[in-house]
Structure formats: C-alpha cells, structure tokens
Amino acid sequence: MSHWPEQPNDIIIKWIKDHSSSLIVADFGCGDARLAKSVKNKVFSFDLISNDPSVIACDMSKTPLDSASVDVAVFCLSLMGTNFPSYLQEANRVLKPKFDPTTGGAEPGKFVKAICELGFTSISKDFSNKMFILFYFKKKEKQISKDVTWPELKPCMYKRR
Ligand SMILES: C[S@@+](CC[C@H](N)C(=O)[O-])C[C@H]1O[C@@H](n2cnc3c(N)ncnc32)[C@H](O)[C@@H]1O
C-alpha cells in the first residue's frame, strides 16, 4: 500500500470533509482509526483489536450501534472476511434509511449487483485510481429480509507483483 499513488482512506476522508460534518460515520475495520482522527464528524470506529481508546473492539458483523443510527458506513480495505455479507448486513441495519430516487439504478457490474441484492443502492463508481475502484452505495429504503440468500461473490485472490 505504501507504493500506491493514492490511499483509499484519504479519498474517503476527503469525501466526508466535502459533506456535512453532522453526518454520523461508522468505520468498519478502522485499523488505527485515522479516519476518526481526520474529520470533525462523530465517527464510531470498529475493529477486532483495539489499541486506542477511541476504537471499539468487536466483530463488525455485530456492532453495539442502534439500528438506523448512522449516516455513512465505511469499509476501507476491510471486506476481507469470508463472512463479509454479514458485515454488509450489519451496515444495512445501522444505516439510517436515505432514499434518493435520482441515484438509484446505477450501472449493474457483477459486484455492484450483488451488493445491491444485499440491500444497498449503488450511487457511483470511480475508476480513476490505478490500484483500486471506489464504489459508493446508499442503503435501500426497504429493510432486507433476514432469510436473504446471499449472492455468489468470489473471494479476492492476491497476486504476487
Ligand atoms: C487492511 S486493514 C484496513 C484498516 C483501515 N480501514 C485502513 O484503511 O487503514 C483491515 C482492518 O479490518 C479489520 N477487520 C477485519 N475483519 C474484521 C471483523 N470481522 N471485525 C472487525 N474488524 C475487522 C482488521 O483487524 C484490520 O484492522
């Protein structure tokens, strides 16, 4: 990552700074909580291990947040577990419903389509970075069923460079 021309966390921090500081953020798999330390917003930082009092140690599939209590859910390089649909389901639970009919129905790539089936709406995709793609989603207004059948998504295979 140190060789990447741009860090995804920096782009997310900029996105949050460009929006309202009143937005409540949940950082799923926050690492050292750099995001929380870089913005004025209230940020709930979650990671399996906490070396910082601001980081809540938990499995991000079961956070202590109330349902419909945050505006933004961030997964920055943290959708690595094989049970990642449960992380997205948790994000769906804690996000406040925000329905914007003008941003629905984005171009259906396979990944985007699968995420949408988990209860999210794709807002946009940013291919401008060489090493990663940024996907923007909003929670769908309709709550997803607990009996949802998870779409098939293949795990990421890291290549030696
Ligand atoms: C590659 S690091 C990214 C850290 C940070 N988001 C960043 O961009 O600098 C992935 C982080 O996700 C955390 N993580 C992975 N699975 C998790 C889980 N099930 N619950 C909580 N944290 C998890 C790891 O402990 C690790 O700190």
Side-chain angles (χ1 to χ4, degrees), residues 1 9 27-32 46-49 58-61 76-78 80-81 87:
M1 270 178 69
N9 226 341
D27 187 3
F28 290 81
C30 64
D32 60 7
F46 301 106
D47 207 288
L48 284 173
I49 297 166
C58 67
D59 186 316
M60 59 188 169
S61 63
C76 185
L77 306 176
S78 57
M80 55 190 29
Y87 311 154

PDB file of all heavy atoms in Angstrom, residues 1 9 27-32 46-49 58-61 76-78 80-81 87, ligand 1:
ATOM      1  N   MET A   1       0.816  -1.218   0.000  1.00  0.00           N
ATOM      2  CA  MET A   1       0.000   0.000   0.000  1.00  0.00           C
ATOM      3  C   MET A   1       0.848   1.265   0.000  1.00  0.00           C
ATOM      4  O   MET A   1       0.461   2.288  -0.543  1.00  0.00           O
ATOM      5  CB  MET A   1      -0.893   0.033   1.243  1.00  0.00           C
ATOM      6  CG  MET A   1      -2.230  -0.613   1.079  1.00  0.00           C
ATOM      7  SD  MET A   1      -3.124  -0.543   2.631  1.00  0.00           S
ATOM      8  CE  MET A   1      -3.463   1.187   2.769  1.00  0.00           C
ATOM      9  N   ASN A   9      -8.174   5.495   2.044  1.00  0.00           N
ATOM     10  CA  ASN A   9      -8.627   6.199   3.254  1.00  0.00           C
ATOM     11  C   ASN A   9      -8.613   7.722   3.046  1.00  0.00           C
ATOM     12  O   ASN A   9      -9.498   8.430   3.514  1.00  0.00           O
ATOM     13  CB  ASN A   9      -7.725   5.829   4.429  1.00  0.00           C
ATOM     14  CG  ASN A   9      -8.534   5.494   5.671  1.00  0.00           C
ATOM     15  OD1 ASN A   9      -9.704   5.855   5.774  1.00  0.00           O
ATOM     16  ND2 ASN A   9      -7.916   4.808   6.604  1.00  0.00           N
ATOM     17  N   ASP A  27     -16.996   3.423  10.969  1.00  0.00           N
ATOM     18  CA  ASP A  27     -15.833   2.933  10.228  1.00  0.00           C
ATOM     19  C   ASP A  27     -15.633   1.465  10.595  1.00  0.00           C
ATOM     20  O   ASP A  27     -15.169   1.139  11.688  1.00  0.00           O
ATOM     21  CB  ASP A  27     -14.607   3.794  10.590  1.00  0.00           C
ATOM     22  CG  ASP A  27     -13.397   3.461   9.727  1.00  0.00           C
ATOM     23  OD1 ASP A  27     -13.521   2.609   8.826  1.00  0.00           O
ATOM     24  OD2 ASP A  27     -12.331   4.060   9.958  1.00  0.00           O
ATOM     25  N   PHE A  28     -16.004   0.592   9.662  1.00  0.00           N
ATOM     26  CA  PHE A  28     -15.964  -0.854   9.898  1.00  0.00           C
ATOM     27  C   PHE A  28     -14.573  -1.390   9.534  1.00  0.00           C
ATOM     28  O   PHE A  28     -14.187  -1.359   8.375  1.00  0.00           O
ATOM     29  CB  PHE A  28     -17.012  -1.566   9.038  1.00  0.00           C
ATOM     30  CG  PHE A  28     -18.434  -1.320   9.449  1.00  0.00           C
ATOM     31  CD1 PHE A  28     -19.090  -0.169   9.064  1.00  0.00           C
ATOM     32  CD2 PHE A  28     -19.124  -2.260  10.209  1.00  0.00           C
ATOM     33  CE1 PHE A  28     -20.409   0.055   9.435  1.00  0.00           C
ATOM     34  CE2 PHE A  28     -20.441  -2.049  10.591  1.00  0.00           C
ATOM     35  CZ  PHE A  28     -21.083  -0.883  10.204  1.00  0.00           C
ATOM     36  N   GLY A  29     -13.850  -1.913  10.521  1.00  0.00           N
ATOM     37  CA  GLY A  29     -12.475  -2.376  10.278  1.00  0.00           C
ATOM     38  C   GLY A  29     -11.567  -1.167  10.139  1.00  0.00           C
ATOM     39  O   GLY A  29     -10.873  -0.973   9.153  1.00  0.00           O
ATOM     40  N   CYS A  30     -11.566  -0.349  11.193  1.00  0.00           N
ATOM     41  CA  CYS A  30     -10.951   1.000  11.127  1.00  0.00           C
ATOM     42  C   CYS A  30      -9.441   0.992  11.239  1.00  0.00           C
ATOM     43  O   CYS A  30      -8.800   2.015  10.988  1.00  0.00           O
ATOM     44  CB  CYS A  30     -11.527   1.854  12.247  1.00  0.00           C
ATOM     45  SG  CYS A  30     -11.097   1.201  13.880  1.00  0.00           S
ATOM     46  N   GLY A  31      -8.830  -0.134  11.651  1.00  0.00           N
ATOM     47  CA  GLY A  31      -7.370  -0.134  11.857  1.00  0.00           C
ATOM     48  C   GLY A  31      -6.995   0.831  12.966  1.00  0.00           C
ATOM     49  O   GLY A  31      -7.528   0.758  14.082  1.00  0.00           O
ATOM     50  N   ASP A  32      -6.129   1.797  12.654  1.00  0.00           N
ATOM     51  CA  ASP A  32      -5.671   2.743  13.690  1.00  0.00           C
ATOM     52  C   ASP A  32      -6.591   3.961  13.825  1.00  0.00           C
ATOM     53  O   ASP A  32      -6.234   4.957  14.444  1.00  0.00           O
ATOM     54  CB  ASP A  32      -4.233   3.189  13.414  1.00  0.00           C
ATOM     55  CG  ASP A  32      -4.099   3.886  12.055  1.00  0.00           C
ATOM     56  OD1 ASP A  32      -5.123   4.126  11.399  1.00  0.00           O
ATOM     57  OD2 ASP A  32      -2.962   4.189  11.658  1.00  0.00           O
ATOM     58  N   PHE A  46     -14.667   0.735  14.546  1.00  0.00           N
ATOM     59  CA  PHE A  46     -14.747  -0.663  14.993  1.00  0.00           C
ATOM     60  C   PHE A  46     -13.595  -1.471  14.416  1.00  0.00           C
ATOM     61  O   PHE A  46     -13.277  -1.363  13.226  1.00  0.00           O
ATOM     62  CB  PHE A  46     -16.065  -1.300  14.531  1.00  0.00           C
ATOM     63  CG  PHE A  46     -17.277  -0.592  15.051  1.00  0.00           C
ATOM     64  CD1 PHE A  46     -18.053   0.198  14.211  1.00  0.00           C
ATOM     65  CD2 PHE A  46     -17.634  -0.673  16.390  1.00  0.00           C
ATOM     66  CE1 PHE A  46     -19.160   0.872  14.689  1.00  0.00           C
ATOM     67  CE2 PHE A  46     -18.746  -0.011  16.882  1.00  0.00           C
ATOM     68  CZ  PHE A  46     -19.509   0.770  16.028  1.00  0.00           C
ATOM     69  N   ASP A  47     -13.004  -2.283  15.257  1.00  0.00           N
ATOM     70  CA  ASP A  47     -12.010  -3.237  14.763  1.00  0.00           C
ATOM     71  C   ASP A  47     -11.975  -4.428  15.723  1.00  0.00           C
ATOM     72  O   ASP A  47     -12.403  -4.327  16.873  1.00  0.00           O
ATOM     73  CB  ASP A  47     -10.620  -2.600  14.649  1.00  0.00           C
ATOM     74  CG  ASP A  47      -9.783  -3.292  13.569  1.00  0.00           C
ATOM     75  OD1 ASP A  47      -9.353  -4.433  13.807  1.00  0.00           O
ATOM     76  OD2 ASP A  47      -9.604  -2.707  12.485  1.00  0.00           O
ATOM     77  N   LEU A  48     -11.441  -5.535  15.220  1.00  0.00           N
ATOM     78  CA  LEU A  48     -11.349  -6.741  16.054  1.00  0.00           C
ATOM     79  C   LEU A  48     -10.492  -6.477  17.284  1.00  0.00           C
ATOM     80  O   LEU A  48     -10.762  -6.969  18.372  1.00  0.00           O
ATOM     81  CB  LEU A  48     -10.738  -7.887  15.244  1.00  0.00           C
ATOM     82  CG  LEU A  48     -11.650  -8.569  14.225  1.00  0.00           C
ATOM     83  CD1 LEU A  48     -10.847  -9.553  13.386  1.00  0.00           C
ATOM     84  CD2 LEU A  48     -12.807  -9.274  14.924  1.00  0.00           C
ATOM     85  N   ILE A  49      -9.435  -5.683  17.071  1.00  0.00           N
ATOM     86  CA  ILE A  49      -8.499  -5.378  18.158  1.00  0.00           C
ATOM     87  C   ILE A  49      -8.462  -3.875  18.366  1.00  0.00           C
ATOM     88  O   ILE A  49      -8.467  -3.112  17.398  1.00  0.00           O
ATOM     89  CB  ILE A  49      -7.087  -5.891  17.798  1.00  0.00           C
ATOM     90  CG1 ILE A  49      -7.122  -7.411  17.647  1.00  0.00           C
ATOM     91  CG2 ILE A  49      -6.058  -5.489  18.848  1.00  0.00           C
ATOM     92  CD1 ILE A  49      -5.913  -7.984  16.975  1.00  0.00           C
ATOM     93  N   CYS A  58     -14.709  -5.156  18.470  1.00  0.00           N
ATOM     94  CA  CYS A  58     -15.824  -6.086  18.243  1.00  0.00           C
ATOM     95  C   CYS A  58     -15.685  -6.685  16.852  1.00  0.00           C
ATOM     96  O   CYS A  58     -14.899  -6.204  16.031  1.00  0.00           O
ATOM     97  CB  CYS A  58     -17.168  -5.372  18.353  1.00  0.00           C
ATOM     98  SG  CYS A  58     -17.478  -4.176  17.060  1.00  0.00           S
ATOM     99  N   ASP A  59     -16.447  -7.741  16.624  1.00  0.00           N
ATOM    100  CA  ASP A  59     -16.575  -8.250  15.264  1.00  0.00           C
ATOM    101  C   ASP A  59     -17.571  -7.324  14.572  1.00  0.00           C
ATOM    102  O   ASP A  59     -18.660  -7.085  15.103  1.00  0.00           O
ATOM    103  CB  ASP A  59     -17.105  -9.683  15.301  1.00  0.00           C
ATOM    104  CG  ASP A  59     -17.119 -10.317  13.926  1.00  0.00           C
ATOM    105  OD1 ASP A  59     -17.551  -9.636  12.963  1.00  0.00           O
ATOM    106  OD2 ASP A  59     -16.705 -11.478  13.813  1.00  0.00           O
ATOM    107  N   MET A  60     -17.176  -6.812  13.422  1.00  0.00           N
ATOM    108  CA  MET A  60     -18.037  -5.791  12.801  1.00  0.00           C
ATOM    109  C   MET A  60     -19.349  -6.351  12.258  1.00  0.00           C
ATOM    110  O   MET A  60     -20.182  -5.592  11.771  1.00  0.00           O
ATOM    111  CB  MET A  60     -17.275  -5.004  11.743  1.00  0.00           C
ATOM    112  CG  MET A  60     -16.718  -5.802  10.622  1.00  0.00           C
ATOM    113  SD  MET A  60     -15.676  -4.697   9.648  1.00  0.00           S
ATOM    114  CE  MET A  60     -14.853  -5.871   8.585  1.00  0.00           C
ATOM    115  N   SER A  61     -19.547  -7.653  12.343  1.00  0.00           N
ATOM    116  CA  SER A  61     -20.864  -8.186  11.974  1.00  0.00           C
ATOM    117  C   SER A  61     -21.861  -7.993  13.116  1.00  0.00           C
ATOM    118  O   SER A  61     -23.060  -8.206  12.947  1.00  0.00           O
ATOM    119  CB  SER A  61     -20.760  -9.668  11.616  1.00  0.00           C
ATOM    120  OG  SER A  61     -20.346 -10.399  12.747  1.00  0.00           O
ATOM    121  N   CYS A  76     -13.058   0.368   4.466  1.00  0.00           N
ATOM    122  CA  CYS A  76     -11.857   0.708   3.711  1.00  0.00           C
ATOM    123  C   CYS A  76     -10.888  -0.466   3.816  1.00  0.00           C
ATOM    124  O   CYS A  76     -10.293  -0.697   4.879  1.00  0.00           O
ATOM    125  CB  CYS A  76     -11.228   1.994   4.251  1.00  0.00           C
ATOM    126  SG  CYS A  76      -9.835   2.535   3.266  1.00  0.00           S
ATOM    127  N   LEU A  77     -10.776  -1.225   2.759  1.00  0.00           N
ATOM    128  CA  LEU A  77      -9.881  -2.396   2.698  1.00  0.00           C
ATOM    129  C   LEU A  77     -10.197  -3.386   3.820  1.00  0.00           C
ATOM    130  O   LEU A  77      -9.313  -4.058   4.329  1.00  0.00           O
ATOM    131  CB  LEU A  77      -8.410  -1.951   2.812  1.00  0.00           C
ATOM    132  CG  LEU A  77      -7.939  -0.894   1.815  1.00  0.00           C
ATOM    133  CD1 LEU A  77      -6.497  -0.479   2.123  1.00  0.00           C
ATOM    134  CD2 LEU A  77      -8.015  -1.415   0.392  1.00  0.00           C
ATOM    135  N   SER A  78     -11.459  -3.474   4.211  1.00  0.00           N
ATOM    136  CA  SER A  78     -11.785  -4.323   5.360  1.00  0.00           C
ATOM    137  C   SER A  78     -12.820  -5.403   5.037  1.00  0.00           C
ATOM    138  O   SER A  78     -13.213  -6.150   5.926  1.00  0.00           O
ATOM    139  CB  SER A  78     -12.270  -3.456   6.527  1.00  0.00           C
ATOM    140  OG  SER A  78     -13.369  -2.683   6.130  1.00  0.00           O
ATOM    141  N   MET A  80     -12.648  -8.310   4.001  1.00  0.00           N
ATOM    142  CA  MET A  80     -11.732  -9.407   3.692  1.00  0.00           C
ATOM    143  C   MET A  80     -12.208 -10.752   4.259  1.00  0.00           C
ATOM    144  O   MET A  80     -11.715 -11.790   3.851  1.00  0.00           O
ATOM    145  CB  MET A  80     -10.345  -9.081   4.230  1.00  0.00           C
ATOM    146  CG  MET A  80     -10.427  -8.775   5.689  1.00  0.00           C
ATOM    147  SD  MET A  80      -8.977  -8.089   6.522  1.00  0.00           S
ATOM    148  CE  MET A  80      -8.088  -7.191   5.384  1.00  0.00           C
ATOM    149  N   GLY A  81     -13.125 -10.738   5.191  1.00  0.00           N
ATOM    150  CA  GLY A  81     -13.579 -11.994   5.804  1.00  0.00           C
ATOM    151  C   GLY A  81     -14.498 -12.750   4.863  1.00  0.00           C
ATOM    152  O   GLY A  81     -15.207 -12.151   4.057  1.00  0.00           O
ATOM    153  N   TYR A  87     -21.133  -8.451   7.399  1.00  0.00           N
ATOM    154  CA  TYR A  87     -20.679  -7.081   7.712  1.00  0.00           C
ATOM    155  C   TYR A  87     -21.585  -6.075   6.996  1.00  0.00           C
ATOM    156  O   TYR A  87     -21.952  -5.046   7.546  1.00  0.00           O
ATOM    157  CB  TYR A  87     -19.238  -6.828   7.256  1.00  0.00           C
ATOM    158  CG  TYR A  87     -18.207  -7.862   7.644  1.00  0.00           C
ATOM    159  CD1 TYR A  87     -17.059  -8.031   6.880  1.00  0.00           C
ATOM    160  CD2 TYR A  87     -18.369  -8.656   8.776  1.00  0.00           C
ATOM    161  CE1 TYR A  87     -16.103  -8.976   7.215  1.00  0.00           C
ATOM    162  CE2 TYR A  87     -17.406  -9.600   9.111  1.00  0.00           C
ATOM    163  CZ  TYR A  87     -16.284  -9.761   8.327  1.00  0.00           C
ATOM    164  OH  TYR A  87     -15.340 -10.701   8.654  1.00  0.00           O
TER     165      TYR A  87
HETATM  166  C1  LIG B   1      -6.313  -3.676   5.802  1.00  0.00           C
HETATM  167  S1  LIG B   1      -6.869  -3.108   7.361  1.00  0.00           S
HETATM  168  C2  LIG B   1      -7.587  -1.553   6.915  1.00  0.00           C
HETATM  169  C3  LIG B   1      -7.625  -0.602   8.077  1.00  0.00           C
HETATM  170  C4  LIG B   1      -8.219   0.766   7.770  1.00  0.00           C
HETATM  171  N1  LIG B   1      -9.604   0.669   7.341  1.00  0.00           N
HETATM  172  C5  LIG B   1      -7.387   1.485   6.720  1.00  0.00           C
HETATM  173  O1  LIG B   1      -7.831   1.622   5.587  1.00  0.00           O
HETATM  174  O2  LIG B   1      -6.276   1.907   7.066  1.00  0.00           O
HETATM  175  C6  LIG B   1      -8.297  -4.127   7.663  1.00  0.00           C
HETATM  176  C7  LIG B   1      -8.815  -3.998   9.077  1.00  0.00           C
HETATM  177  O3  LIG B   1     -10.075  -4.669   9.160  1.00  0.00           O
HETATM  178  C8  LIG B   1     -10.137  -5.298  10.427  1.00  0.00           C
HETATM  179  N2  LIG B   1     -11.129  -6.383  10.376  1.00  0.00           N
HETATM  180  C9  LIG B   1     -11.134  -7.448   9.529  1.00  0.00           C
HETATM  181  N3  LIG B   1     -12.194  -8.247   9.794  1.00  0.00           N
HETATM  182  C10 LIG B   1     -12.857  -7.676  10.836  1.00  0.00           C
HETATM  183  C11 LIG B   1     -14.020  -8.024  11.586  1.00  0.00           C
HETATM  184  N4  LIG B   1     -14.720  -9.124  11.313  1.00  0.00           N
HETATM  185  N5  LIG B   1     -14.447  -7.189  12.570  1.00  0.00           N
HETATM  186  C12 LIG B   1     -13.740  -6.050  12.860  1.00  0.00           C
HETATM  187  N6  LIG B   1     -12.623  -5.676  12.188  1.00  0.00           N
HETATM  188  C13 LIG B   1     -12.186  -6.480  11.194  1.00  0.00           C
HETATM  189  C14 LIG B   1      -8.719  -5.786  10.654  1.00  0.00           C
HETATM  190  O4  LIG B   1      -8.473  -6.047  12.035  1.00  0.00           O
HETATM  191  C15 LIG B   1      -7.905  -4.621  10.113  1.00  0.00           C
HETATM  192  O5  LIG B   1      -7.578  -3.683  11.111  1.00  0.00           O
END
